[in-house]
Amino acid sequence: MRIQRIVAVMILLAACKGESNPTGTDGFVPTVLVYKSKTSGIAGRRAEIISRQSPWIEAWDQVTAGQSPKPPLPAVNFDESILVFVAGGELSNSCSDIRIESVNRVDGALEVSILEERRPNCTCPAIVVRPVHIVSVPRAATGASFTFRVTNLNSCS
């Protein structure tokens, strides 16, 4: 019986290795900017959590595809943090942008609000942009949901 308990504990520990820790309080989650740009190599809309180094390297290669010189990979301590990664896809003019508006923890999961900003009353070059916004948050969640919304801004700055 004792061996069975030890095996069960080892299985649980192995399953949790490198994954998020669900402990923590619900509410606002502080973010730290890792990278934000209107030019990326990602043509489609995308939102995800990155919790390990190898997927981060793959995502960074996609973000920086076509850039020369390629910017260095931002360092992330995945023992303490995870990344919230958002790509806006192809937006029709240079005044459009995307940003992570807020991150909240609810019942052990992150709720991420993503805002696409448009400026319909502004004179903007008709250049297709592919914005990305990447932030780090403390490793204290078991999953995530993403909500995209669009807003029209009156300001042209």
Side-chain angles (χ1 to χ4, degrees):
M1 184 71 158
R2 183 170 184 235
I3 293 175
Q4 290 173 333
R5 286 185 190 158
I6 292 171
V7 169
V9 169
M10 291 175 65
I11 291 170
L12 285 172
L13 290 173
C16 294
K17 184 179 180 189
E19 296 304 319
S20 299
N21 180 351
T23 62
T25 58
D26 285 355
F28 173 79
V29 176
T31 63
V32 175
L33 178 65
V34 173
Y35 186 76
K36 183 158 178 29
S37 177
K38 285 188 176 186
T39 58
S40 78
I42 300 175
R45 179 181 272 190
R46 186 166 141 189
E48 64 188 81
I49 297 296
I50 300 174
S51 61
R52 295 185 333 270
Q53 185 71 19
S54 58
W56 173 223
I57 292 170
E58 290 174 22
W60 186 249
D61 286 342
Q62 294 169 6
V63 167
T64 59
Q67 293 185 26
S68 182
K70 183 176 177 175
L73 177 74
V76 177
N77 180 349
F78 285 105
D79 291 333
E80 297 177 4
S81 302
I82 57 176
L83 296 177
V84 179
F85 177 95
V86 176
E90 292 187 346
L91 303 180
S92 62
N93 68 59
S94 63
C95 290
S96 298
D97 203 358
I98 195 163
R99 69 179 169 91
I100 297 167
E101 183 176 37
S102 65
V103 179
N104 289 287
R105 186 174 181 277
V106 179
D107 296 329
L110 297 179
E111 291 184 354
V112 181
S113 176
I114 302 152
L115 184 63
E116 179 184 327
E117 300 172 332
R118 298 178 182 169
R119 292 175 169 80
N121 300 323
C122 302
T123 304
C124 303
I127 299 170
V128 173
V129 294
R130 295 176 174 176
V132 294
H133 190 187
I134 306 165
V135 299
S136 68
V137 297
R139 183 180 275 278
T142 56
S145 63
F146 300 88
T147 303
F148 283 83
R149 53 183 205 98
V150 176
T151 188
N152 291 325
L153 301 176
N154 292 326
S155 165
C156 292
S157 57

